[in-house]
Each structure stands twice: as C-alpha cells, then as structure tokens.
Amino acid sequence: LRELAGELASYDPQKLDFSKKRVDKNDEVGIIQNAVVDMVEKIQNYTKTLSQLNLRLENKVKERTHTLENTNARLRREVQERIKAEEALKNANRTLERLSVRDTLTNLYNRRGIERSLKTCWRIARREKTPISIIMCDIDFFKKINDTYGHVAGDICLQEIAKILKHTISRPMDIVARYGGEEF
C-alpha cells in the first residue's frame, strides 16, 4: 500500500508514466491497486482526449484569428477606398456647384448665381436697412455682330465686355453676372 501511495503521490497526468499495472490478486491490496490503476487509466484517457480537443480548439482559434485578420485588413482597405471616393465625390460636387452658378463663356456669375447672391444681399439689406442697386445692361445690335462677324467673334466680344465690367467693380459685395445672351 505504501508503494502504491508513493506512486500516486509522484504521478503526473501530463507525463502519462504511471508504472503500476493490474494484478491478479483478490486480496484488499490487489483490489485497491486494480481500482487505482483503472482510475489512473481513465485519467490518462481523459487527459489525452482533453489534449487533443485543446489542440483542435487552438487550431480553430488560429484559423479564425487568421480569417478575422484578413477580413479586418480587407475592411480597412475598403474604408480607405470609400474615404477616397467620398472625398472625390465632395470635390466633384464642389466643382459642380461652382460650375452651376458660373457662365462658362465669361466666367461671371450666371442667372442662377445672381439669384442666389441677391437672396443673400436682400437679407443683409433688410437687416441693416440699406438699399440695393441693380444695374441691367444689354448690348445693342449684338445680333448684327454675330451675323456679320460670326458667333466666335460674338463670344470674344462678350468675354471682353465681361472683363471690362468685372474691372469696374471695387467693393467686395459688388457682383457682375451674365443674365442671359447679351444681358449683364
């Protein structure tokens, strides 16, 4: 019994090195030894099974971690691409907004641009109780310029008039716009 107790005291289930074997004795010591050997064999079997399950679980965790890392990297790339696309879209919208209020020929405000500016000017004038002045001018006989010299010459004429009008304003709130055709 002392020898069996010593074996049990030094037994390490992870090493799987229990040296005692089953015996054919039916006395009390034999019964106890066989019961201990059966118990140790069960512990060893459970230890092996747990070790195998642990290895499988570790492998699954490694695979899942690898999959998640790849997914996270892909998602980071997608987020960066979307951020770039959003910035490009914002830039395009700013450009479209700017173009939507500008006359492409003269680069002055167009009718839409002047209407927006008038709303702002009107609010300021009402708040500060100041007048607003609007000067409308139309180029007389402009159709004859187009008919005589062609539309390219007419366009150049409109561009030159736009430059002259643009250089005549001096205050920050002053606006020059092409209202339509040859109207400024």
Side-chain angles (χ1 to χ4, degrees):
L1 279 175
R2 283 193 183 115
E3 185 181 322
L4 184 60
E7 284 284 331
L8 281 172
S10 65
Y11 173 65
D12 181 2
Q14 291 182 347
K15 292 183 181 175
L16 304 174
D17 62 351
F18 192 68
S19 62
K20 290 292 183 192
K21 303 293 179 217
R22 292 183 62 75
V23 292
D24 288 331
K25 297 180 189 175
N26 282 333
D27 62 357
E28 292 174 342
V29 174
I31 292 171
I32 292 172
Q33 181 168 337
N34 288 337
V36 167
V37 169
D38 288 343
M39 182 183 69
V40 168
E41 285 175 354
K42 285 180 183 177
I43 290 172
Q44 287 177 338
N45 286 335
Y46 289 140
T47 301
K48 285 178 187 176
T49 302
L50 286 174
S51 180
Q52 291 169 350
L53 289 172
N54 190 41
L55 281 174
R56 276 193 242 152
L57 184 60
E58 284 179 8
N59 287 334
K60 283 184 179 182
V61 167
K62 284 178 186 176
E63 288 173 15
R64 185 69 176 141
T65 300
H66 182 70
T67 301
L68 289 173
E69 286 171 348
N70 288 340
T71 301
N72 283 339
R74 182 180 49 79
L75 289 173
R76 276 193 288 278
R77 284 190 304 273
E78 286 179 15
V79 166
Q80 289 171 348
E81 289 171 9
R82 286 184 183 189
I83 288 170
K84 287 179 185 175
E86 281 180 22
E87 192 58 37
L89 184 60
K90 285 178 187 176
N91 289 335
N93 282 335
R94 280 192 290 270
T95 300
L96 285 173
E97 178 63 26
R98 185 175 40 79
L99 292 173
S100 74
V101 296
R102 291 284 178 179
D103 175 58
T104 55
L105 179 65
T106 61
N107 200 31
L108 296 176
Y109 281 110
N110 60 16
R111 189 173 184 159
R112 173 188 261 173
I114 193 69
E115 287 173 358
R116 284 187 183 177
S117 296
L118 277 174
K119 286 180 184 178
T120 303
C121 291
W122 184 256
R123 281 195 303 266
I124 293 170
R126 282 184 54 199
R127 184 177 65 230
E128 296 182 9
K129 296 180 175 44
T130 57
I132 293 178
S133 296
I134 299 174
I135 300 172
M136 294 284 294
C137 67
D138 182 73
I139 303 170
D140 289 336
F141 311 110
F142 185 73
K143 184 174 177 350
K144 286 185 181 180
I145 294 171
N146 276 338
D147 291 345
T148 305
Y149 301 106
H151 287 281
V152 174
D155 288 349
I156 292 170
C157 181
L158 290 173
Q159 290 169 335
E160 290 302 316
I161 292 169
K163 285 179 192 175
I164 292 167
L165 292 174
K166 185 94 170 140
H167 289 296
T168 61
I169 64 170
S170 58
R171 294 175 297 187
M173 288 295 292
D174 289 349
I175 297 168
V176 177
R178 182 175 175 204
Y179 197 71
E182 70 277 0
E183 300 167 333
F184 293 87

